[in-house]
Amino acid sequence: MKNFLLLLKQNPRAILGLSILLLWILLALLGPSLLPYSFSQMDMDNQISRPGLNGHLLGTDALGRDILTRIVYGSRSILTIALMTSLFSSLAGILIGFTAGYFGGFWDTLFLRIMDIVMAIPPLVLSMVVLGILGDSTIASLTIIVSIAYTPATARVARGALLSCKGSEYVDAARIRGESDFYIMFVEILPNTLGPIIVEITARFAYSIMMIASLGFLGVGLQPPTPDWGMMVIENKSIIREAPWAVLYPSLAIASLVIAISLFSDFISKVMIHEK
Amino acid sequence: MKNNTLLEINNLTVTYKTLTDSVVALRDLSISLQTQEALGIIGESGCGKSTLSYAIMGYLSSNGRCDGEILFEGENLLTKNQKQLMEYRGNRIAMVYQNPYSSLNPSLTIGQQLDEVTIFHRKLSRKQAREKTLEALTDLYLGDAEGLVKRYPHQISGGMQQRVCIAMALLCRPNLMILDEPTTALDVTTEAVILDIIGELKRKYSMSLIYISHDLGIVNKISDRIAVMYRGEVVEMGFKRALFSRPSHPYTRALINCIPRAGVVKEEVRLNTIPGYVKRRGLQETGCPFVDRCEKRVPGCTDKYGMMERDSNHYSACDRAYATDVPDKEIKALKISKEIPQPEERILDIKELYKHYRQGGTKIRALDGVTVSLETNQVLGIVGESGCGKSTLGHTVSGLLTPTRGHIIYKDKEISVSWRKRSPEILREIQLIFQNPGRSLNPSFTLETLLGRPMKKLLGISSKKERIKLSRQILAKVDLSEEYLNRKTTQLSGGEMQRAAIARAFSIAPNLIVCDEPTSALDVSVQASVLNLLSELQQTSGASYIFISHDLYVINYISDYIMVMYLGRICEYGKKSEVVGPPYHPYTEALLSAVPDVDPSLDKNTIRLEGSPPNPTQRIKGCPFAGRCHKKIGKICDTTPPPRIEFSESHFVYCHLKPEDLGAV
C-alpha cells in the first residue's frame, strides 16, 4: 500500500484519472441533493437556454430540462450499471475460465468453442438485439445483458491467468496433500492471479461505460424520462444547431469518465503486473 | 607489465536507485586483467558478479549509475557513448550468458543469427559471413556445422545452444570474453565438455577471459587468477593455487569449506556453513562487508578496511582466515542416534516400474523397468543427467504421476496410483520436497498458513492454537525463529524458503520423503546448511529419503545407497562407498570424472561424454548408454540387454564388460 501511494505520486496521469473518477462518484452521491431541479422538471420559460443563463449552469434542452441536473442523475445509473457489470462479468469469467482451464481437455475445448461463438457476435450488437426483444430496459436487465456480453473476454483473461499458475509446484504440493480441486482453484491459485484479474476489472469498467452510453444512444438503454447520457446525446441531436451544449456536455461527461478510468486502469496494470 | 594489461577497472562503484532508496551493487572495485589471462570471479548470488559484467559491457539498466573508470586497452569505456561502445561490444569484448535459450532468437535459424554478427561488425558479405560461421561452429566441435546452421535453437539441446552462443561470441575474435555462469543450467557432463573447449579456444585465439561462477570447482578449472567477491567488493584476489590452498580472507575459506567433495560423508562430518545470508548494502556502511557473518571477527573489523598485498600477487582485504585468537568453529561429526538398533524393515518396494507418456505424438519412455527397494531410516540417492528419469521416479512415488506399469509397494500396500486415489494416511506418510521452494510454497500465504494447512488437512488438527504451537516447534527445528510465522515467502531468502519447505514436509511426521533436487537452486553456503539440516532431521526422525540430485558429491554426502540412472534404467546400484569407487559402471565413472574439483593439486583423469542423453522414444534393445559409452565393446552393446554383474550382496551394475574391466581407466 505504501508502494502504491509512492508510485501514484510519481504518476501524474494516474492522479488525474483518479481525481476525475472520484469527482464523478462524489457528484453521483451528493449532486442530486445540492441541485435545485429534478431531472424531469421542465422550465417552460427557458427552453434551449444558453449555459450560464437563467440559473441553468449548463443550459437546458428543448423541453427546458436542466442539462447539469440530467447529467448528474445520469451519472448515478451509468456508474452503478458499469460497476456491477464489470464485477459480474469478472466473477462469471473467473468461474467459467478457471473451471475450463483447470480441468482442461474436453471441457476446455468446449469452453473455447462456445466463447469463440459468443465473441464472434460484437457485444454491442448482441446486447442491442437482446434488449430490443426484451423491450423496456431497466438497470437490472442492462446489467445482466452487458455482463453476459463481456463474460467471454473476462473468462479468457481468467483462464490465461490460471494457466500461468497451474503448472506451479505449489499446485502439485496441494494435490499430494489431498486438497480438493475447488480449494486448489480458489484458495491456492486465485490469490496469485489477482493482478491480471483486477486490471481486467478496471478496464472492463471503462468498456462498460462506453457500452451503456452506446446502448442509450441507440435507444435501447434506460427508458425516458430517466436521464441517460447516451440517450441525451441522441434526443438532443435534432437541436444541435440551436443548442450544441445539449449534445456537447453529455458527450464530454462520457468521454471524461472513460478517459479517467482508462488512465487509472493503465496505472493499475503497471502496478499489478509490470512492476512485479 | 603495464603493456600487457588488457582491462583495468579502477574504483568502480555502481549504485541502483530504487523506489525507496539507493543500493550499492559494486563498491570501489578495482581489478585488472592481463592479456591471455583467465580471471575467475566467485561469490554467492547477490554479490555483484553479474553487475560487474554488465558494467563492463555498458548494459546497466537505466536506474544504475557508474562511477570510477573501466579502462579497456587504456580507453575508458564509461565515457563512451552508445555508438562508440558498439566498437567494443560483441566485437572486442564478447559476452556469454547463463541461459542460452533466452540469448538466442527462437525465430531465426542458427546460421542467420551467427552471420548477422560478422555482417554487422565486420561488414562481411553473406557468403564470407557464412564461412566464418561454419569455422566458428567447427571450433566448438559442433559436428555437421552445415546442417546445424539451418536449424532453429529449439531443435538442439541446451549444451549445443550454449556452444552456439560461445561460437557467436567468438566470431569477431574478441580480446576479452566474459562468461556469466555459462554452464550453470547444464548437466555436469556437458559442462565438462564446454569447459574443455573454452580453455582450448582461449589458448588458440589468445583471448582473455572473465569467468563468473558460483561454483568454485569450475572456476578452479578454468582460471589462472581468482577474485572473490562479496557484497559488491573484491575481498580477495590471487593465483588460484595460492588462493585455494591458503586463503587469506575468512569468506574465501568458509566458501571453500562449504562444498561437499569426494570422500566427505555425513557419517563423518557436518558440512561447514556460513550463517546468515548476503544482505543488500546501503550507501553509508563502512568496514568489512563480511563482518556480520564472519566467525573470525574482532571489534576492529567494523571500521578499518582495505585491500593489501598479503603475498606476492595475492591481495586480500583481511588475513584472519586462519587467525588463532578466535578458535575455529568446531565442525562436529553428526551424532548418530542409533542407541536403539532399529529393525531395518523394508518401507518401499518398487518393482518393474514403467512410465511412458506421450509428447506431441511420440512416446517418451521416462522409466523403463526400474526395480529398487528402500529400508527404514535409509537414504537412497538417485543420480543421473537431466532426462534420465530420476524426477519421474520421485514423482511416481509421491503420487504426482501414475506409472504405466509395475508396482510401488509401500509398507505392504500397493500405491502405484495417483494422489486422487491415495488415502490421507499415505499422503501424510510420503512427502515431497521440491527443487524450487519459491515455486513450491504459495507466495500468497504466510508461513502460518503454509505450515498449518497440512496439519489441518492430514493430521486433522482443527484448533488453530494447536497448529501454531506445532508450527513453532517445527520452525525451531529448522532454525527459523517464531517471527517467520507471519512472513510470506517473498520476504524470505532462498535458504530460508527451502528451510520453510522442509519444515512443511516434516510438520506432519512423514516416513518417506522424496527430495527432488532440493539444493540445486541454492548457493553453496546455503546448500551446505540445508544438507546438514536434512541429514540431521533424517537421523533424528528415522524417516527414509529418496534424494534426487545431479551432483554426485551431494548424493555421496547424504545417501546410504546410490542408484545411478540413465534413460529410465538403472546402471548401477549399491552402498555409496561401493558406487563411488571402482569397480564402476562406465556411466558412473564418466559422471564422477566430469565433476570439477576445488583442489588445484588434483588432476583428474578425464572422460568426456559427448552430447546429451537421446530422447527415450525408441525401445532400446541393448544397453541404453551404448551410444555414448567410452568403453563400448561392440555390437553386443546395442543389441543385447546388459547382464547384471553382482559385486556384492548390495552392489550391482548392468554392463557387458567383464567385471575386471570395470575399474578406473
Side-chain angles (χ1 to χ4, degrees):
Chain A
M1 197 59 208
K2 203 177 130 201
N3 271 356
F4 182 83
L5 289 178
L6 267 171
L7 279 168
L8 190 63
K9 232 186 232 173
Q10 290 178 354
N11 200 325
R13 282 194 292 179
I15 297 180
L16 179 71
L18 189 62
S19 345
I20 297 176
L21 180 61
L22 287 177
L23 185 75
W24 275 117
I25 293 175
L26 271 178
L27 270 179
L29 288 174
L30 307 173
S33 54
L34 301 176
L35 292 165
Y37 311 100
S38 89
F39 62 84
S40 55
Q41 192 180 336
M42 292 184 252
D43 188 347
M44 286 315 204
D45 304 328
N46 294 306
Q47 288 155 339
I48 317 188
S49 163
R50 286 178 165 282
L53 291 180
N54 312 318
H56 298 287
L57 203 56
L58 299 183
T60 57
D61 63 10
L63 298 175
R65 295 179 296 191
D66 186 56
I67 302 276
L68 176 64
T69 309
R70 287 182 65 79
I71 286 178
V72 167
Y73 274 96
S75 72
R76 289 187 143 187
S77 56
I78 202 161
L79 277 172
T80 317
I81 300 173
L83 186 69
M84 305 267 264
T85 311
S86 59
L87 287 179
F88 286 156
S89 65
S90 303
L91 267 179
I94 290 171
L95 272 172
I96 298 173
F98 266 39
T99 317
Y102 184 83
F103 291 104
F106 170 76
W107 293 110
D108 200 27
T109 317
L110 183 73
F111 155 78
L112 284 174
R113 293 296 83 79
I114 293 176
M115 292 299 145
D116 283 346
I117 293 167
V118 180
M119 278 173 113
I121 311 165
L124 186 65
V125 176
L126 180 72
S127 316
M128 212 173 78
V129 171
V130 177
L131 287 169
I133 295 168
L134 286 182
D136 285 0
S137 305
T138 60
I139 287 190
S141 68
L142 265 175
T143 306
I144 293 168
I145 299 300
V146 178
S147 298
I148 292 174
Y150 278 156
T151 298
T154 55
R156 271 179 178 268
V157 170
R159 177 178 169 273
L162 172 117
L163 288 183
S164 71
C165 289
K166 192 184 155 193
S168 292
E169 284 158 358
Y170 61 79
V171 174
D172 286 341
R175 285 185 175 153
I176 52 173
R177 199 163 67 220
E179 300 288 5
S180 66
D181 293 324
F182 183 84
Y183 181 91
I184 294 176
M185 270 192 266
F186 296 106
V187 184
E188 294 274 343
I189 297 180
L190 182 63
N192 295 305
T193 56
L194 279 184
I197 288 176
I198 289 177
V199 171
E200 177 64 21
I201 293 178
T202 53
R204 210 34 71 186
F205 192 23
Y207 285 128
S208 305
I209 302 245
M210 279 203 285
M211 169 82 107
I212 293 150
S214 309
L215 289 172
F217 183 83
L218 293 169
V220 288
L222 292 178
Q223 294 306 300
T226 323
D228 178 281
W229 291 357
M231 168 92 59
M232 285 171 74
V233 174
I234 194 73
E235 66 189 11
N236 293 327
K237 206 188 92 190
S238 50
I239 54 162
I240 194 162
R241 282 177 188 283
E242 303 85 48
W245 57 86
V247 174
L248 179 69
Y249 290 119
S251 308
L252 276 182
I254 299 168
S256 72
L257 191 52
V258 171
I259 290 171
I261 298 170
S262 298
L263 288 175
F264 186 62
S265 161
D266 281 350
F267 170 70
I268 293 283
S269 94
K270 205 172 150 194
V271 176
M272 302 294 288
I273 300 173
H274 303 301
E275 295 286 311
K276 267 189 179 168
Chain B
M1 187 71 185
K2 190 74 192 164
N3 300 345
N4 273 335
T5 307
L6 179 72
L7 178 79
E8 194 178 339
I9 297 177
N10 293 321
N11 307 92
L12 179 69
T13 299
V14 173
T15 41
Y16 285 111
K17 247 179 103 72
T18 65
L19 202 55
T20 42
D21 57 349
S22 290
V23 184
V24 184
L26 294 179
R27 177 143 140 166
D28 212 10
L29 180 135
S30 303
I31 52 172
S32 66
L33 182 70
Q34 312 295 316
T35 42
Q36 300 185 40
E37 186 185 35
L39 176 71
I41 296 180
I42 53 174
E44 289 164 276
S45 42
C47 283
K49 307 188 295 285
S50 293
T51 305
L52 175 62
S53 61
Y54 291 138
I56 297 171
M57 296 293 286
Y59 282 152
L60 286 183
S61 60
S62 56
N63 61 342
R65 212 188 100 110
C66 275
D67 297 297
E69 52 183 9
I70 299 174
L71 300 175
F72 182 78
E73 295 180 329
E75 302 267 343
N76 189 355
L77 296 183
L78 289 183
T79 57
K80 306 253 181 246
N81 61 31
Q82 288 296 321
K83 205 174 164 193
Q84 289 167 317
L85 275 179
M86 284 297 190
E87 293 288 304
Y88 292 91
R89 273 184 200 155
N91 202 0
R92 306 180 59 194
I93 308 176
M95 186 157 175
V96 178
Y97 301 86
Q98 176 170 349
N99 189 344
Y101 191 69
S102 56
S103 21
L104 293 172
N105 186 336
S107 58
L108 293 178
T109 63
I110 285 158
Q112 286 171 326
Q113 314 194 31
L114 266 68
D115 293 350
E116 212 173 45
V117 177
T118 40
I119 292 171
F120 179 81
H121 282 295
R122 290 282 143 96
K123 313 275 177 266
L124 297 184
S125 70
R126 287 199 171 274
K127 215 177 140 212
Q128 288 167 313
R130 183 48 61 93
E131 275 167 28
K132 287 272 172 209
T133 300
L134 292 175
E135 192 187 325
L137 290 174
T138 318
D139 271 344
L140 269 295
Y141 296 100
L142 287 158
D144 187 27
E146 294 277 353
L148 189 64
V149 289
K150 296 195 192 82
R151 299 170 82 178
Y152 288 92
H154 67 267
Q155 294 172 313
I156 58 175
S157 69
M160 281 172 85
Q161 285 172 3
Q162 192 59 288
R163 281 201 242 175
V164 168
C165 288
I166 296 171
M168 190 188 265
L170 200 67
L171 276 170
C172 290
R173 301 274 176 270
N175 305 77
L176 171 63
M177 193 188 276
I178 302 173
L179 299 122
D180 189 358
E181 308 244 11
T183 60
T184 307
L186 307 174
D187 272 314
V188 271
T189 49
T190 319
E191 173 182 281
V193 174
I194 288 183
L195 290 180
D196 286 348
I197 295 174
I198 292 173
E200 192 190 311
L201 290 173
K202 176 193 159 241
R203 281 189 296 280
K204 188 169 170 188
Y205 295 118
S206 318
M207 281 189 299
S208 301
L209 298 182
I210 291 182
Y211 196 102
I212 295 170
S213 178
H214 68 280
D215 187 323
L216 279 71
I218 295 174
V219 169
N220 172 39
K221 192 166 164 189
I222 199 117
S223 3
D224 307 307
R225 259 185 336 134
I226 287 170
V228 183
M229 283 186 74
Y230 187 71
R231 287 175 86 191
E233 296 181 28
V234 171
V235 294
E236 184 162 4
M237 187 158 63
F239 287 100
K240 67 177 172 194
R241 205 166 274 266
L243 191 126
F244 277 133
S245 55
R246 192 164 172 87
S248 175
H249 199 286
Y251 179 60
T252 316
R253 189 184 171 204
L255 261 190
I256 296 170
N257 286 342
C258 282
I259 307 169
R261 48 188 124 176
V264 178
V265 288
K266 66 176 173 187
E267 287 84 358
E268 285 160 17
V269 286
R270 282 165 61 93
L271 294 167
N272 184 41
T273 60
I274 310 176
Y277 59 94
V278 185
K279 295 192 184 75
R280 289 205 308 192
R281 198 136 206 239
L283 281 168
Q284 306 302 330
E285 284 174 58
T286 56
C288 176
F290 187 54
V291 68
D292 57 325
R293 297 170 75 192
C294 183
E295 55 175 275
K296 298 284 187 188
R297 64 173 167 261
V298 286
C301 285
T302 43
D303 35 72
K304 78 170 189 297
Y305 182 70
M307 286 287 268
M308 276 166 65
E309 187 162 5
R310 307 288 167 180
D311 221 339
S312 66
N313 280 317
H314 187 165
Y315 296 85
S316 171
C318 180
D319 59 354
R320 297 184 51 78
Y322 290 92
T324 46
D325 50 350
V326 184
D328 279 1
K329 190 174 66 185
E330 218 178 305
I331 303 171
K332 290 186 293 271
L334 192 63
K335 295 191 296 286
I336 300 179
S337 55
K338 282 203 173 152
E339 297 100 38
I340 324 141
Q342 281 163 329
E344 308 243 311
E345 60 182 85
R346 282 211 171 171
I347 187 167
L348 187 73
D349 243 323
I350 296 174
K351 284 180 189 159
E352 285 292 307
L353 198 66
Y354 290 83
K355 173 69 189 172
H356 298 170
Y357 55 90
R358 298 209 155 268
Q359 197 175 52
T362 45
K363 197 177 189 184
I364 306 279
R365 297 163 186 275
L367 289 178
D368 219 12
V370 173
T371 303
V372 71
S373 64
L374 179 63
E375 284 167 357
T376 49
N377 206 11
Q378 296 286 346
V379 179
L380 170 68
I382 304 179
V383 71
E385 289 166 281
S386 48
C388 73
K390 50 190 195 315
S391 286
T392 309
L393 183 65
H395 287 178
T396 38
V397 170
S398 63
L400 278 176
L401 296 172
T402 321
T404 314
R405 221 166 353 132
H407 304 283
I408 307 172
I409 294 153
Y410 171 81
K411 286 185 174 171
D412 305 324
K413 273 170 277 185
E414 171 76 48
I415 56 157
S416 51
V417 289
S418 80
W419 51 278
R420 277 184 199 277
K421 292 180 190 144
R422 291 192 179 185
S423 68
E425 191 58 17
I426 298 287
L427 290 174
R428 178 184 74 77
E429 290 192 14
I430 303 178
Q431 285 294 307
L432 176 63
I433 296 174
F434 295 86
Q435 173 174 359
N436 189 331
R439 287 203 298 261
S440 68
L441 299 172
N442 194 331
S444 296
F445 297 152
T446 60
L447 288 197
E448 187 189 316
T449 322
L450 288 170
L451 295 176
R453 181 69 195 175
M455 295 181 194
K456 186 176 179 190
K457 183 84 193 160
L458 294 173
L459 286 181
I461 302 172
S462 49
S463 138
K464 192 175 175 185
K465 247 189 187 161
E466 180 72 19
R467 291 203 299 264
I468 291 178
K469 202 180 121 204
L470 278 173
S471 302
R472 284 196 179 136
Q473 286 169 2
I474 195 83
L475 276 185
K477 274 194 199 160
V478 298
D479 295 326
L480 292 176
S481 62
E482 283 178 17
E483 67 202 72
Y484 282 88
L485 274 184
N486 299 319
R487 298 218 192 147
K488 290 187 179 178
T489 51
T490 42
Q491 296 162 289
L492 305 181
S493 71
E496 287 169 338
M497 267 196 252
Q498 195 57 286
R499 277 164 192 280
I502 293 170
R504 177 172 70 176
F506 271 96
S507 64
I508 44 179
N511 289 331
L512 174 64
I513 300 176
V514 180
C515 307
D516 187 5
E517 304 247 15
T519 63
S520 34
L522 306 173
D523 268 314
V524 278
S525 59
V526 183
Q527 166 176 293
S529 71
V530 168
L531 286 177
N532 281 343
L533 175 69
L534 279 172
S535 60
E536 209 172 272
L537 285 172
Q538 187 257 326
Q539 307 209 352
T540 49
S541 69
S544 304
Y545 286 174
I546 292 179
F547 196 100
I548 297 163
S549 177
H550 64 276
D551 188 332
L552 246 172
Y553 287 161
V554 167
I555 287 282
N556 182 38
Y557 176 77
I558 201 159
S559 318
D560 299 299
Y561 290 87
I562 297 179
M563 177 164 105
V564 182
M565 281 183 78
Y566 191 79
L567 288 186
R569 297 204 195 160
I570 302 177
C571 290
E572 179 166 3
Y573 172 88
K575 285 192 180 135
K576 72 172 155 195
S577 53
E578 296 169 329
V579 172
V580 296
Y584 27 48
H585 191 279
Y587 183 56
T588 317
E589 190 182 11
L591 281 180
L592 276 168
S593 154
V595 186
D597 234 306
V598 249
D599 190 344
S601 58
L602 273 179
D603 209 9
K604 292 217 272 193
N605 52 7
T606 41
I607 300 161
R608 294 290 172 261
L609 291 187
E610 258 308 310
S612 47
N615 256 348
T617 47
Q618 300 293 316
R619 177 159 205 97
I620 304 158
K621 280 195 211 127
C623 169
F625 187 54
R628 294 167 79 202
C629 184
H630 57 283
K631 283 183 174 173
K632 187 175 172 182
I633 312 172
K635 217 178 160 203
I636 183 169
C637 294
D638 293 319
T639 51
T640 320
R644 174 168 164 149
I645 306 174
E646 300 203 0
F647 291 104
S648 73
E649 207 175 298
S650 54
H651 185 203
F652 60 85
V653 302
Y654 286 99
C655 190
H656 283 295
L657 285 162
K658 292 194 197 77
E660 56 271 25
D661 293 332
L662 288 170
V665 168

